[in-house]
Amino acid sequence: MSKMKVGLSTYSLQQALDRKELSVPDAIRWIAEQGGQHVEIVPMGFSLIDNPELIEEIKTAAQEVGIELSNYAVGANFAVQESAEAVEQEIQSVMRHVDVAAALGVKLMRHDVAFRPAAEGTVAQFEADLPVLVKACQRIADYAAGFGITTSVENHGYYVQSSERIQRLLHETGRDNFKTTLDIGNFLCVDEDPVSAVKNNIPYASIVHAKDFYWRPSTRNPGEGWFQTSHGNYLRGAIVGHGDINMPEVFRVLKQSGYDGYISIEFEGMEHCQTASRIAMDNVRRLWEEV
């Protein structure tokens, strides 16, 4: 029997959180009611550094409904900083988030590493930035190791998004507790086939994000609600299983790889977030069973 656990990122409920229809503890209770086995905490619109009492509320809510806190995901940018001091400040900021992850009791934490405008995100620029990124990731991973926490980089933000760049960073960083938050859908943002990319990077995954997109070619602008990939194609967030990613094949790859960790659903589409999240969780469970 697989230990794979299906859950939801609080980011999936961002619409309701932003409108104050749900508090973070409410969201956790709601996820459990839908059969979610874990919740991933993404502090958007709230801060656990400025509001440490919310950490205890989150832990209490999760314990009461019997679901796990899986991952804590925060932003960071070590590349586009004007000085070594600014990079150092960013590293210290992420280390404070490691303290939050430890206080939450999670063993997994994702932090970003770099963002650059698409035109600047060349291979040459990536190679030039890499030593700075590696040093930052090493220091944070080493600090996190003291708490038994595995840190990770997600494939997103265009710049460090392709499976190959993620692997370059992982191999150069060379820490057993530095892995990747593998987002199935995000590879499309740099026009990489999700099935191939998941095959490339599943050995290095600490957690998997199940995300789906509708896809249209660059010659067919669908209008409002869509964004463009690095090569001008169009994407819109979809309920997992509704979009254009070959999800049955992705799940076959996941299952055959022996992956048995957390699958965290991310929804960023236009449908009502709770309806979408419920359907997505049902679809992910079914997709896993049908493989």
Side-chain angles (χ1 to χ4, degrees):
M1 275 297 289
S2 169
K3 299 194 291 290
M4 189 279 299
K5 292 186 170 76
V6 176
L8 198 70
S9 167
T10 57
Y11 171 66
S12 299
L13 300 173
Q14 203 64 43
Q15 295 172 10
L17 290 167
D18 288 345
R19 289 197 294 260
K20 303 283 188 271
E21 294 165 4
L22 291 176
S23 66
V24 181
D26 290 338
I28 292 167
R29 288 186 277 269
W30 183 86
I31 292 164
E33 283 164 15
Q34 313 312 310
Q37 294 168 287
H38 68 90
V39 57
E40 179 181 15
I41 305 296
V42 183
M44 285 176 65
F46 63 94
S47 165
L48 299 182
I49 286 177
D50 301 331
N51 188 4
E53 56 275 12
L54 185 52
I55 295 172
E56 292 310 313
E57 290 173 34
I58 286 170
K59 287 168 73 172
T60 301
Q63 280 161 0
E64 283 172 358
V65 294
I67 68 173
E68 296 173 29
L69 299 174
S70 53
N71 194 36
Y72 176 59
V74 299
N77 190 357
F78 309 117
V80 196
Q81 301 291 357
E82 56 281 6
S83 65
E85 291 78 37
V87 174
E88 182 60 30
Q89 277 181 326
E90 192 76 345
I91 291 169
Q92 294 298 329
S93 167
V94 177
M95 285 179 176
R96 283 198 295 279
H97 283 295
V98 173
D99 296 336
V100 169
L104 282 168
V106 300
K107 292 299 172 199
L108 302 176
M109 176 179 150
R110 180 215 89 186
H111 64 81
D112 294 321
V113 295
F115 295 97
R116 280 191 181 279
E120 291 176 21
T122 61
V123 173
Q125 183 64 63
F126 175 71
E127 291 294 337
D129 283 337
L130 195 57
V132 174
L133 308 185
V134 165
K135 202 162 261 126
C137 292
Q138 286 173 336
R139 285 182 55 198
I140 292 160
D142 291 345
Y143 181 68
F147 300 99
I149 290 171
T150 294
T151 54
S152 65
V153 59
E154 184 173 347
N155 50 303
H156 81 157
Y158 294 100
Y159 185 40
V160 188
Q161 191 150 17
S162 70
S163 61
E164 197 161 293
R165 289 190 189 185
I166 294 290
Q167 281 194 41
R168 282 281 288 129
L169 180 62
L170 293 181
H171 291 315
E172 292 291 325
T173 300
R175 293 294 188 269
D176 289 342
N177 69 319
F178 182 59
K179 297 190 172 182
T180 183
T181 290
L182 190 151
D183 190 302
I184 292 165
N186 278 349
F187 293 112
L188 273 183
C189 301
V190 286
D191 301 285
E192 186 174 10
D193 171 55
V195 175
S196 305
V198 170
K199 281 179 181 170
N200 289 346
N201 281 15
I202 191 62
Y204 312 102
S206 57
I207 186 169
V208 169
H209 280 175
K211 184 196 283 176
D212 206 348
F213 284 115
Y214 297 108
W215 182 91
R216 294 291 180 272
S218 59
T219 49
R220 277 184 59 193
N221 182 349
E224 190 181 337
W226 297 67
F227 68 95
Q228 285 185 281
T229 69
S230 57
H231 296 71
N233 296 307
Y234 291 93
L235 297 178
R236 176 160 84 79
I239 295 168
V240 179
H242 284 196
D244 292 316
I245 293 174
N246 185 351
M247 280 295 170
E249 183 61 14
V250 167
F251 273 79
R252 193 182 69 79
V253 170
L254 288 178
K255 206 166 182 178
Q256 289 193 341
S257 77
Y259 180 78
D260 66 353
Y262 297 110
I263 294 183
S264 182
I265 290 155
E266 282 196 331
F267 168 72
E268 54 184 30
M270 295 172 78
E271 295 88 347
H272 185 274
C273 66
Q274 281 158 282
T275 307
S277 295
R278 178 180 57 75
I279 295 169
M281 280 196 276
D282 289 343
N283 279 350
V284 165
R285 285 187 280 260
R286 180 174 52 79
L287 284 159
W288 186 267
E289 289 307 316
E290 285 176 356
V291 171

